[in-house]
Amino acid sequence: ENAVASGLGEKPWRVLLEDAPTFVKREVRRDSKYEVILLDPPHYGRGPAGEKWDLSEGLAPLLKGVAGILSDQSAACLSTYAVGISPLSLVGALGVLGEGVIEAGELALPEQDSGVGKPRLLPAGFCARFMRGLS
């Protein structure tokens, strides 16, 4: 449904659900290239074999690996709900991806319309987007 709503429809694309650091390391070794990478890492988490993920320690190495698998014409989007991370810090973090345009902002969900004025926006985290070679 999301692919159709995004205009992808029958175009070739795939979604990979895998441990991101492991995937990126493997794809760097394979010299793979990707046009779009979406990252939505948790602030903290544990894998099935007890692996630990901490955003403050893992994000920089993950993005360094992502830099190695982005094609010349590419985009990367990073969203996070971690307290203590700001749009400005995401801009700095995505700078490792190389030359390109970086935009950042806040994610928000509109409050269900109560019939009284404009619905309020409820904060839902931050995001940043990197783009290069795209118009």
Side-chain angles (χ1 to χ4, degrees):
E1 290 175 11
N2 285 336
V4 171
S6 299
L8 294 174
E10 299 298 319
K11 295 181 180 177
W13 64 277
R14 62 185 176 149
V15 173
L16 304 170
L17 300 173
E18 188 174 340
D19 177 67
T22 302
F23 172 80
V24 168
K25 287 176 189 173
R26 183 181 67 239
E27 295 304 288
V28 166
R29 282 193 310 269
R30 292 178 174 173
D31 199 29
S32 297
K33 298 295 178 189
Y34 292 84
E35 285 77 35
V36 178
I37 296 178
L38 305 174
L39 299 159
D40 187 20
H43 180 68
Y44 181 82
R46 289 196 181 271
E51 310 92 340
K52 281 189 358 181
W53 166 264
D54 185 317
L55 185 71
S56 63
E57 296 173 3
L59 184 59
L62 177 61
L63 290 174
K64 186 176 179 183
V66 166
I69 63 174
L70 281 174
S71 68
D72 292 338
Q73 292 184 316
S74 58
C77 185
L78 169 64
S79 62
T80 182
Y81 312 99
V83 175
I85 300 289
S86 70
L88 182 61
S89 63
L90 295 181
V91 168
L94 289 183
V96 72
L97 300 181
E99 291 295 319
V101 176
I102 302 172
E103 300 172 334
E106 188 168 354
L107 300 169
L109 298 170
E111 182 180 48
Q112 190 172 31
D113 189 3
S114 63
V116 181
K118 187 175 179 181
R120 293 181 300 174
L121 295 177
L122 306 173
F126 301 109
C127 63
R129 177 178 66 187
F130 168 85
M131 292 179 23
R132 78 166 154 233
L134 304 170
S135 49

